[in-house]
Structure formats: structure tokens, C-alpha cells
Amino acid sequence: MKITEEEKKQHPQYREYVERYESALTGLEAGLRGAGDPALIVEKCLNMARSFYDADSAALVETNLELGYGVCIMDDSIDGLPNFKGKIINITPEETPFLYARVMRNEVFEIDDLEKLKEVSPAEAFLLNKMDTHILAVAPYYKRSSGYLYIRNPKRFVGLYGMLQALSYIFAAERNEFQLMDSLNIAVSSKGCRSNKDVFIKVFGGLSITTKFGTLSESEITSSLAIRLVAYLLLNDTRKVSQRELTEALWPDAEVDSPAKQVRNVVHRTRNILNPIFPDSLVVNDKMGNYYINPNVNIVTDASVFESYIRNGQRPSATQKEKIHYLKQAVEIYQHEFLPNMTGDSWLDNQRTFYHLTYLQAVIALLPLLYKEEAYSDMYALSSAALLYEPENGDILFWHIRAMIELGGLEIAQRNLTQHSQSLNEDQKDILSGILNTLH
């Protein structure tokens, strides 16, 4: 049963829900800051979903709708209750028509009347009864991967499922850490590199290099000069770079004795560091002393994927849904800045600024598109993430507050408008004030 906005306001727990909504998400974000393990993040989010709604359990199901099944990959249940982790769930229009249709719509839904469900889908009613489920609330997601979050038998905030939507967005983003972009055959693990020539290089958040033989992270590479060398050659991968240019890139503010020898030393050390995962050298040179990335390897970087998504999202011929799809992929890839630990080099700073501004432009273009699609939870999650980078960006704040209003958080929206008024332009303040005055 879908509750209208007006009915939500009449809900006996509505005010408490609104007050807890933002504080719960803020607390979750603070608790997860710095957590790099997607599985740990998913586990903590499931625990929050269960406790927020005082439910018997919260679980995450990954789906393959083409093959017609889902797998419960995580289940956070109250002690003593059955745990369905690993359970295979049929999801087909023939066997589970109710679940299939609503998952395909990619919107939150609730099953709270098993007798009514039995009339249209006896098999699904039987399954829920077997699971001792009286109320099932489901928040699907469809990004690069697909699945859904569900809670069983919530005892608090029944019918107010904006929090489930927000958490499903987080789940999708974290699961996608394992597969950046299927259509470009990118693998972020050594298992996904199909041949000895396949190389995946991650530069957002720090350098990591993956081949069929394993992964080396920035902390394992240890040499800042090796990282600078690889990064500079990647940024100039369409040409050969002279020894003199490399000297200026590696030591921008220093006088270097025997520059040719020093560059050779850095290249030699880089090859030794990367040797465990490279049968062939990543960095090669010609007889003239020019250096370049080995043309015999197949390199894909998260930055190149990011740029590809941005270009597709900006195509004039793209439909609104296509723009949303591509821009969403782009902003999900940009988890952190370009090589944030490498500072003091103008070419690195310029590249970092370029990607940062491109990310912000994508966010600002995406937010109004999500608003048109009424994807308010996605708006809230996206703007919240972007505000961590630019806390006083008026354009992002404007849509952040609009999302709060649409999700029912009028008091929170009013507080944010008051707190960040100086960051908004007059038109934005007038629009937000007018909406809030009308709704109060």
C-alpha cells in the first residue's frame, strides 16, 4: 500500500520519523567515514535499517532478472530468528508476479495483506507465511547491478519508507565498487583481468594498479616518485615524454644533478616495485631517452571511465533517462579526489581541479533531472555526498533542501535554509521560502 504525502503527515509517528531521518543518516555517514570495505559498509547499513524500523530482520538481495532469480547475500536478523543468507529466490513474472512487477518498477513497495496477496499470487503468499512475515517493505535499486533491500515485520515507522530508499542507494553504490563498468569490460580485481596484458589503474582516492597477477596499492608502491612517474605518463599516454620533461615533472622545484641518470633510477625502481604483477614493464623507453606507457598492455583507468560517462551524459541527443544513467555512473566513480596524497606539483593540482570541477558540474546537472523523475531519495543521497566536497555550494544546497522537502522533512529543510542562507542566491531563497510557507 502506497501512502500519499498527505497521509504521511497524518501518520502518528511522522514527526518522530522526520526528526530521526537526517540524524540517523548523518550518524551513519560519520560512523562509516574512512571505512574502505564495501561488505562492512553494507553490513552496518543493514543493521541501521533493522534498528531504525525496529524490524525482525533487514536483508540485501542481489538479482539477475534476465535469469529470473535473486540471492540473499546478507541478512541482519534478531537473535533466535531464521537467517536467510544464501537463500535463492525466484523472481519471474510467472512464479512471483507481484515481486517481479514491483522490482521492475524500481520503487519502494510494501506487502501488508497476505490474504489479498494470496488471491493474485498464492506462491508468494505461501513463501511469506513460511518466513513468518506479516509486513514486508522492499526498496529496489537498479544501477550497474540490481537488487533490493527488504525489512521484515517493522514495528516502527510502518509506511514511511524514505529511509529504505536512501539506504538502497548506498547499497547500490557500495556493491558497484566491485564492478565499475560492465559495458567496458573493466575489472577491479585480478580475477577480472582476462589476459596478461589487461591492466586496471585506479587514480581517484589514491593509486592502485591491478593485473591478472594481483593488485598493488599506493601504500604498497611506497615510492612517491614512482607514483608521480606512472601518473604523469598516464596523463600523457598519447605520446612519448622526453627525459627533460620528466625531470621537470618529477622534481618541479629542485635543481637535479645528472637528470638523465636520476630519471633512469626512478624508472628502474618503478619497474622493480611493479615487477610482481607485471610480466612486461609498464614503463618503457626508446633509444632516444623518451619514456612512455608500454603500448602492448591494455590499460583502463577509473578516470577514463569517468570521462566516458560524462561525455555520454552530455550528448545533446541523449534522452533524459540516458543522461541520468550516465551521469549517475560518473558521480559514483568519483569517490575521492585524483591522487589526493600527491601535493605540491602544478600538473597534479591542475588535473585534480579538472576532475573536481567536472564532478561538481555533473552533480549540478544531475540533481534537477532526478527531481523531474521524482527520485527524491537519490537526490538527497547525491547532494549529501557532494556537500562533503563543497559544503557551501549554493546550487547543490538548493536541490539538497528541495529533496528534504519532498521527503517530508520540512523542519529540517527550514533549518538548512536558515543555516545556509548566505550560500544561496536570491532566486533560490525565494523559491525555497515560498514552498516552505505554502506547506507549513
Side-chain angles (χ1 to χ4, degrees):
M1 180 180 69
K2 188 169 183 178
I3 298 181
T4 66
E5 289 299 318
E6 189 58 37
E7 288 174 324
K8 286 181 182 179
K9 295 173 186 177
Q10 304 304 318
H11 193 291
Q13 294 177 312
Y14 179 75
R15 181 170 292 276
E16 181 186 2
Y17 169 81
V18 170
E19 290 174 352
R20 289 196 180 195
Y21 184 95
E22 186 178 50
S23 62
L25 283 181
T26 301
L28 178 68
E29 188 278 326
L32 294 179
R33 191 177 294 119
D37 183 359
L40 176 62
I41 293 173
V42 170
E43 182 181 327
K44 288 183 177 294
C45 288
L46 278 181
N47 183 262
M48 177 183 164
R50 181 175 64 77
S51 60
F52 185 87
Y53 287 97
D54 191 16
D56 287 351
S57 69
L60 185 64
V61 176
E62 284 196 334
T63 61
N64 187 322
L65 296 179
E66 292 181 359
L67 298 180
Y69 73 93
V71 179
C72 182
I73 61 168
M74 284 193 182
D75 187 340
D76 184 301
S77 300
I78 295 176
D79 290 342
L81 293 182
N83 189 295
F84 297 101
K85 182 177 180 180
K87 182 178 179 62
I88 305 296
I89 303 166
N90 291 327
I91 308 177
T92 67
E94 296 80 20
E95 297 179 78
T96 54
F98 190 92
L99 177 63
Y100 181 87
R102 281 150 186 80
V103 168
M104 288 294 286
R105 289 179 196 164
N106 198 29
E107 62 185 24
V108 172
F109 64 92
E110 178 190 61
I111 302 173
D112 62 351
D113 189 338
L114 293 189
E115 290 302 315
K116 189 173 180 180
L117 178 63
K118 191 183 297 183
E119 296 174 8
V120 295
S121 182
E124 288 173 282
F126 174 79
L127 176 62
L128 291 181
N129 188 58
K130 187 177 179 180
M131 294 170 65
D132 194 25
T133 301
H134 316 296
I135 301 176
L136 186 77
V138 183
Y141 62 82
Y142 182 75
K143 311 290 182 190
R144 287 186 297 276
S145 58
S146 62
Y148 59 87
L149 156 68
Y150 74 77
I151 54 173
R152 294 193 304 117
N153 302 329
K155 305 169 191 65
R156 182 169 56 208
F157 308 137
V158 176
L160 303 174
Y161 297 128
M163 176 62 77
L164 279 189
Q165 279 188 310
L167 290 174
S168 75
Y169 185 97
I170 297 174
F171 288 138
E174 292 306 321
R175 296 305 294 172
N176 286 336
E177 279 291 290
F178 296 107
Q179 43 179 351
L180 277 180
M181 187 178 171
D182 290 340
S183 60
L184 293 184
N185 295 317
I186 292 172
V188 295
S189 73
S190 56
K191 293 180 181 178
C193 293
R194 295 178 177 85
S195 77
N196 294 356
K197 298 181 181 297
D198 292 339
V199 183
F200 177 82
I201 299 180
K202 185 176 181 292
V203 293
F204 292 137
L207 184 72
S208 70
I209 303 175
T210 297
T211 73
K212 188 176 181 179
F213 302 97
T215 298
L216 284 177
S217 65
E218 186 170 302
S219 60
E220 293 167 319
I221 293 173
T222 66
S223 168
S224 62
L225 286 174
I227 294 170
R228 282 178 166 82
L229 172 68
V230 172
Y232 193 81
L233 293 179
L234 282 173
L235 293 175
N236 296 277
D237 61 352
T238 59
R239 63 186 181 89
K240 296 180 178 181
V241 178
S242 69
Q243 165 262 308
R244 179 176 178 179
E245 183 179 342
L246 264 185
T247 302
E248 294 175 354
L250 295 175
W251 298 279
D253 300 315
E255 291 290 334
V256 180
D257 295 329
S258 306
K261 178 182 178 181
Q262 294 297 336
V263 169
R264 285 198 301 271
N265 288 341
V266 174
V267 171
H268 179 71
R269 185 178 182 188
T270 302
R271 288 170 177 165
N272 286 340
I273 292 171
L274 300 183
N275 184 63
I277 63 170
F278 273 100
D280 297 318
S281 296
L282 177 63
V283 178
V284 294
N285 60 278
D286 61 20
K287 293 180 181 179
M288 302 298 293
N290 300 307
Y291 295 87
Y292 51 101
I293 295 293
N294 190 337
N296 295 320
V297 298
N298 307 317
I299 293 181
V300 178
T301 70
D302 55 351
S304 67
V305 178
F306 172 79
E307 292 181 46
S308 176
Y309 276 134
I310 291 291
R311 285 193 299 271
N312 280 293
Q314 293 175 339
R315 282 188 294 110
S317 61
T319 65
Q320 179 168 300
K321 288 189 178 297
E322 286 174 335
K323 289 178 180 178
I324 289 174
H325 170 76
Y326 288 120
L327 292 176
K328 268 188 175 182
Q329 308 305 319
V331 298
E332 285 175 14
I333 289 173
Y334 187 87
Q335 297 294 323
H336 302 283
E337 289 185 332
F338 176 85
L339 296 180
N341 301 319
M342 298 291 105
T343 58
D345 299 323
S346 60
W347 60 271
L348 278 170
D349 292 338
N350 291 339
Q351 201 67 28
R352 189 174 297 121
T353 299
F354 166 75
Y355 285 123
H356 181 70
L357 292 177
T358 303
Y359 163 77
L360 291 177
Q361 290 167 359
V363 169
I364 292 168
L366 180 56
L367 286 169
L369 296 177
L370 292 174
Y371 182 79
K372 291 179 182 178
E373 292 289 316
E374 299 183 1
Y376 305 128
S377 293
D378 282 1
M379 283 177 64
Y380 182 85
L382 173 63
S383 56
S384 295
L387 287 171
L388 294 176
Y389 296 107
E390 294 280 337
E392 297 302 325
N393 185 295
D395 293 323
I396 298 173
L397 281 165
F398 173 76
W399 292 109
H400 186 61
I401 297 172
R402 290 293 294 269
M404 289 179 189
I405 293 171
E406 297 297 339
L407 290 168
L410 302 184
E411 290 83 359
I412 298 172
Q414 184 64 65
R415 286 202 300 271
N416 272 265
L417 174 56
T418 302
Q419 182 179 351
H420 300 288
S421 178
Q422 73 282 357
S423 299
L424 301 165
N425 63 41
E426 292 304 317
D427 287 342
Q428 290 168 337
K429 285 187 281 190
D430 289 344
I431 291 171
L432 293 173
S433 298
I435 295 172
L436 289 168
N437 289 336
T438 301
L439 293 174
H440 271 299

